[in-house]
Amino acid sequence: MSRIELVAPCHFGLEAVLKKEIADLGYEILQVEDGRVTFCGEEEAVCRANIFLRTAERILLKVGKIKAVTFEELFDKVKALPWERYIPSDGKFWVTKASSVKSRLFSPSDIQSIVKKAIVERLKTVYHVEWFPETGAEYPIRISFMKDEATISLDTTGLSLHKRGYRTMVSKAPIKETLAAALILLTPWKKDRILVDPFCGSGTFPIEAAMIAANMAPGMNRSFTAEKWTNLLARKCWYQAIDEAEDRIDHGLTGTDIQGYDLDGEIIRAARQNAAAAGVDHLIHFQQRPISTLSHPKKYGFLISNPPYGERLEEKEHLPVLYREIGERFAALDCWSMYLITSYEEAEHYIGRKADKNRKIYNGMLKTYYYQFLGPRPPKRRRQEEKDEA
């Protein structure tokens, strides 16, 4: 493949974080829209984006963009796309997902059916066959309509990128790995600073923080659909990306202060197992501990957490006491910062302090708020001492 366009979907409200990640990998940003970032690169960008990006949900290879207001128009324009460049004669292909926002074509099942038929008719003509065995590699297709314009792509990822492979045991209301990583990257936390999650559940925040600290690529221990696309991507691209990921890991990292607490002992055991599976258990201290006992002797730490909302874990009437306790324990910490994602709209009231910043983020269909209570920065001399000690 020559230069290609890739689309990386993400959580609504976190596009800027993903944009920076992509730019840091060295790729040109073409467009930033609600819930997705489009960028371009050579074929190796497919491999590196899947392996290195922490906040993308998947990586889509853009086949084309069309405008269609009737199903006949959709059929003709999809058929006109050069599908033979992407799908070989034995390829297994289907429309895995169709979405539509503010468009005249709005039925996902009908859109999926028409697109599949159009691709079949195109490839019949090119390959001079009437039937496709579909015994080869899988080429899942996604189509997304917005205001009558459709972006049509191949899904290079397969299972969503939040499936890192380490989280075999989860708590009742886990936060996605991609979302947790994005929320950490929105803070000024660095690996030489303290990080505590007092509601750690299965350990997602501490594990993602430890992986960031050790510079461990999130996708290096899993597989991707496009690995079998040998007609499009040379195997050496995947090998080179994995070698790069291995070379980047800070194997000698020590002295981190990343902690995770939870009231449930079984969940803490699960968190430890997940951390071990991720290869970062030596960087995290997990402990069965209630929020009421939260304390730390050092200054300038970070609380980053996903406390109960009420919708899933506790009844609403229990939340005022809980959030009041969070506020009290935070106030007792010396010069700390606190970052909480929650859908509980009375959080600031019971914490007893208005957040310095508040970002609206959609966690699936659930509207949540990322409350940011900013503590002071460490003095320059202290920061230098902390770097020297690290």
Side-chain angles (χ1 to χ4, degrees), residues 195-376:
L195 186 152
V196 175
D197 180 358
F199 302 96
C200 73
S202 50
T204 309
F205 270 124
I207 292 170
E208 290 295 321
M211 291 177 70
I212 291 169
N215 208 18
M216 294 178 66
M220 62 186 298
N221 293 317
R222 54 158 289 172
S223 60
F224 306 96
T225 298
E227 287 181 48
K228 296 183 179 179
W229 296 358
T230 52
N231 62 313
L232 297 176
L233 300 169
R235 290 293 300 171
K236 68 177 183 180
C237 291
W238 293 101
Y239 298 142
Q240 289 169 351
I242 289 294
D243 288 344
E244 180 186 356
E246 290 281 2
D247 290 342
R248 287 191 181 196
I249 298 174
D250 183 357
H251 291 287
L253 179 64
T254 58
T256 55
D257 193 347
I258 301 172
Q259 303 179 29
Y261 306 145
D262 201 278
L263 193 58
D264 189 328
E266 289 188 14
I267 289 298
I268 286 295
R269 284 190 286 276
R272 291 193 183 108
Q273 291 179 33
N274 291 339
V280 294
D281 51 316
H282 62 296
L283 301 176
I284 308 170
H285 172 68
F286 287 109
Q287 185 178 356
Q288 182 179 0
R289 183 174 179 177
I291 182 67
S292 59
T293 65
L294 175 63
S295 64
H296 201 290
K298 294 183 180 179
K299 293 185 175 184
Y300 307 110
F302 288 77
L303 286 179
I304 305 179
S305 194
N306 174 39
Y309 302 168
E311 284 86 351
R312 294 172 292 179
L313 292 181
E314 296 183 11
E315 296 299 328
K316 286 283 188 183
E317 58 264 25
H318 297 154
L319 295 183
V321 173
L322 177 65
Y323 280 81
R324 189 178 293 115
E325 203 160 33
I326 292 172
E328 290 170 355
R329 299 322 305 156
F330 174 54
L333 295 167
D334 194 355
C335 299
W336 280 48
S337 300
M338 180 167 69
Y339 297 80
L340 302 178
I341 181 170
T342 178
S343 65
Y344 186 45
E345 297 188 355
E346 296 295 316
E348 290 172 299
H349 173 73
Y350 290 106
I351 286 171
R353 173 179 163 183
K354 185 173 177 59
D356 298 288
K357 293 182 179 180
N358 181 12
R359 182 184 289 256
K360 187 186 298 181
I361 296 169
Y362 280 87
N363 186 3
M365 296 302 293
L366 182 65
K367 182 173 70 175
T368 62
Y369 303 92
Y370 193 39
Y371 294 109
Q372 302 166 61
F373 302 87
L374 310 180

Side-chain angles (χ1 to χ4, degrees), residues 97-110:
K97 185 174 181 181
S99 62
S100 179
V101 178
K102 299 178 181 178
S103 300
R104 274 167 277 191
L105 299 181
F106 56 84
S107 168
S109 60
D110 288 335

Side-chain angles (χ1 to χ4, degrees), residues 80-100:
L81 294 173
W83 289 100
E84 63 276 8
R85 292 184 190 173
Y86 305 96
I87 303 174
S89 58
D90 66 343
K92 181 179 180 180
F93 59 97
W94 72 102
V95 184
T96 182
K97 185 174 181 181
S99 62
S100 179

Side-chain angles (χ1 to χ4, degrees), residues 168-211:
T168 56
M169 302 183 71
V170 300
S171 53
K172 292 180 181 178
I175 189 169
K176 277 188 176 181
E177 294 88 328
T178 46
L179 178 54
L183 297 179
I184 294 169
L185 293 173
L186 274 173
T187 78
W189 176 80
K190 302 297 179 187
K191 62 184 177 182
D192 58 348
R193 305 283 292 277
I194 304 158
L195 186 152
V196 175
D197 180 358
F199 302 96
C200 73
S202 50
T204 309
F205 270 124
I207 292 170
E208 290 295 321
M211 291 177 70

